[in-house]
């Protein structure tokens, strides 16, 4: 339900932004978006206080002598690095010892997919789709300018980019309903494997279409975008199922530590891919980034399926009610 609400807001936001792009220029739309974010910030702060009061001040931290000493250490510049390295080491040791480690690593691998997903890189590709070929050096200056201007006009309109982002959000919203029924039918583990395999298959189709020829033509472009949008069904299905798997396998006392470590590693993976995108900043290098994205998703699917096919005794105890292990037991 939390994922549905999140994706519903994302769908509405992308649709409204796409509608604004059809009526105003990009700079004006960015100003409107920034103004909305600034105006919504006080509301977020007040909602945070409301959550704290409704949850009987669960977000308040009690002050003890040990807590005060920890706060003093955090304010000491000389101990910031030491405390940081110690926290990272402790978090990493707990993270790699968890029972459902492959499921968590699969989530991290999915964050390497920054090219074949709705985001800044995909938007840049679509907006510069008509700029792949540069004018010949044999043309005059006026002919070069005319060819460049015509090339710019062939780029995808901002409204289509907004519609693509909205469609991806809709697919993610649909995935929350599909994952629920899928878990009831085949179990949580097979549902996770199905989501990863489905996403890897659709992204492979998108990669094949991209390398088969230029996506400047209408039919290849629609197949390319449709494959990426449909792959969000598998992505969000695993996002929901993977969260449930990790919640089942991680003790409540270590959930905060292991969850924080997973988010940190996932953010690092995304940062690495964005750094590679900065290095390979030419549009012609998009194919290389797409290959890395598909490889990461395929690697996540392989790792999860291998973990599912070779279960440990501890894994069987955790998911004893899963239909996959009930069938093996019978």
């Amino acid at each position: 339900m939390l994922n549905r609400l999140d994706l519903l807001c994302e769908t509405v936001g992308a649709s409204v932004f796409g509608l604004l792009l059809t009526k105003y220029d990009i700079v004006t739309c960015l100003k409107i978006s920034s103004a909305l974010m600034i105006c919504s910030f006080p509301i977020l702060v007040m909602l945070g206080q409301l959550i704290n009061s409704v949850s009987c001040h669960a977000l308040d931290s009690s002050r003890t002598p040990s807590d005060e000493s920890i706060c003093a250490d955090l304010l000491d510049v000389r101990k910031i690095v030491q405390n940081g390295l110690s926290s990272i080491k402790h978090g990493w040791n707990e993270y790699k010892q968890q029972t459902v480690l492959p499921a968590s690593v699969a989530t991290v691998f999915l964050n390497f997919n920054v090219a074949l997903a709705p985001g800044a890189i995909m938007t840049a590709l679509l907006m510069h789709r008509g700029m792949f070929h540069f004018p010949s050096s044999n043309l005059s200056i006026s002919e070069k300018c005319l060819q460049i201007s015509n090339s710019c006009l062939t780029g995808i309109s901002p409204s289509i980019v907004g519609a693509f982002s909205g469609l991806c959000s809709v697919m993610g919203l649909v995935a929350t309903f599909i994952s629920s029924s899928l878990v009831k039918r085949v179990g949580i583990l097979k549902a996770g494997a199905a989501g990863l395999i489905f996403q890897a298959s659709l992204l492979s189709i998108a990669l094949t279409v991209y390398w088969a020829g230029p996506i400047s033509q209408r039919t290849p472009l629609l197949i390319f975008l449709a494959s990426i949008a449909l792959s969000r069904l598998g992505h969000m299905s695993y996002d929901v199922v993977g969260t449930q798997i990790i919640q089942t396998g991680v003790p409540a006392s270590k959930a905060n530590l292991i969850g924080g470590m997973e988010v940190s590693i996932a953010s690092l993976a995304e940062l690495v891919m964005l750094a590679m995108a900065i290095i390979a900043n030419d549009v012609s290098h998009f194919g290389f980034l797409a290959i890395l994205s598909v490889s990461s998703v395929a690697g996540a699917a392989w790792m999860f399926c291998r973990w599912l096919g070779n279960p440990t005794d501890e894994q069987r105890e955790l998911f004893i009610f899963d239909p996959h292990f009930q069938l093996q037991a019978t």
Side-chain angles (χ1 to χ4, degrees):
M1 183 58 65
L2 290 175
N3 277 275
R4 290 172 188 171
L5 293 175
D6 184 24
L7 290 167
L8 180 62
C9 295
E10 185 177 344
T11 302
V12 173
S15 302
V16 171
F17 195 74
L19 180 63
L20 291 175
L21 285 173
T22 60
K23 297 184 178 181
Y24 305 100
D25 59 280
I26 298 178
V27 177
T28 302
C29 293
L30 290 176
K31 290 181 180 179
I32 296 175
S33 178
S34 301
L36 290 175
M37 293 176 64
I38 294 174
C39 295
S40 64
F41 180 73
I43 300 177
L44 295 177
V45 175
M46 289 187 292
L47 289 176
Q49 296 296 327
L50 179 62
I51 292 173
N52 191 31
S53 61
V54 171
S55 60
C56 300
H57 299 277
L59 301 181
D60 292 339
S61 57
S62 59
R63 289 298 184 89
T64 62
S66 59
D67 294 332
E68 293 178 359
S69 61
I70 293 175
C71 293
D73 290 341
L74 290 175
L75 294 177
D76 190 351
V77 179
R78 295 173 299 178
K79 295 186 178 180
I80 289 179
V81 177
Q82 181 180 356
N83 292 333
L85 294 177
S86 177
S87 300
I88 293 174
K89 183 179 179 180
H90 178 59
W92 172 251
N93 290 332
E94 293 290 344
Y95 178 80
K96 66 181 182 181
Q97 293 175 2
Q98 60 175 317
T99 308
V100 292
L101 178 62
S104 179
V105 175
T107 302
V108 174
F109 271 36
L110 294 181
N111 284 269
F112 281 102
N113 177 26
V114 298
L116 298 179
I121 296 180
M122 178 58 63
T123 302
L125 172 71
L126 297 178
M127 295 298 293
H128 295 81
R129 179 177 62 90
M131 301 182 187
F132 289 162
H133 303 288
F134 293 95
S136 174
S137 58
N138 297 326
L139 300 177
S140 62
I141 296 179
S142 59
E143 291 175 335
K144 288 182 180 180
C145 294
L146 179 61
Q147 186 171 344
I148 291 175
S149 62
N150 291 333
S151 177
C152 294
L153 292 175
T154 60
I156 296 177
S157 63
S159 59
I160 296 180
V161 177
F164 168 71
S165 300
L167 180 61
C168 290
S169 300
V170 171
M171 291 297 102
L173 182 63
V174 173
T176 60
F177 295 94
I178 295 178
S179 61
S180 300
S181 60
L182 197 61
V183 168
K184 294 178 181 178
R185 292 186 178 183
V186 300
I188 188 173
L189 297 178
K190 286 187 177 180
L196 290 174
I197 294 174
F198 184 81
Q199 183 184 4
S201 302
L202 268 295
L203 291 183
S204 298
I205 295 176
L207 180 63
T208 303
V209 172
Y210 179 83
W211 281 106
I215 59 173
S216 56
Q217 299 179 0
R218 182 179 181 85
T219 301
L221 176 64
L222 292 179
I223 298 176
F224 178 74
L225 295 180
S227 300
I228 295 176
L230 290 174
S231 71
R232 305 305 291 178
L233 287 172
H235 177 83
M236 289 309 304
S237 294
Y238 183 77
D239 183 65
V240 175
V241 173
T243 301
Q244 296 176 353
I245 293 175
I246 295 174
Q247 288 177 347
T248 303
V250 176
S253 59
K254 300 180 180 180
N256 187 27
L257 178 63
I258 295 178
M261 195 66 192
E262 179 186 307
V263 173
S264 300
I265 299 175
S267 300
L268 180 60
E270 186 176 0
L271 179 63
V272 170
M273 286 298 294
L274 291 176
M276 296 184 65
I278 294 175
I279 297 174
N281 55 11
D282 192 84
V283 181
S284 60
H285 297 153
F286 179 82
F288 171 71
L289 297 176
I291 292 176
L292 292 180
S293 296
V294 174
S295 300
S296 64
V297 177
W302 173 82
M303 180 183 303
F304 188 88
C305 291
R306 188 173 182 271
W307 176 65
L308 182 61
N310 300 280
T312 60
D313 294 337
E314 192 173 3
Q315 181 181 348
R316 295 176 186 273
E317 294 177 1
L318 284 174
F319 303 98
I320 189 173
F321 297 107
D322 193 272
H324 176 67
F325 294 129
Q326 289 181 350
L327 290 175
Q328 290 182 352
T330 57

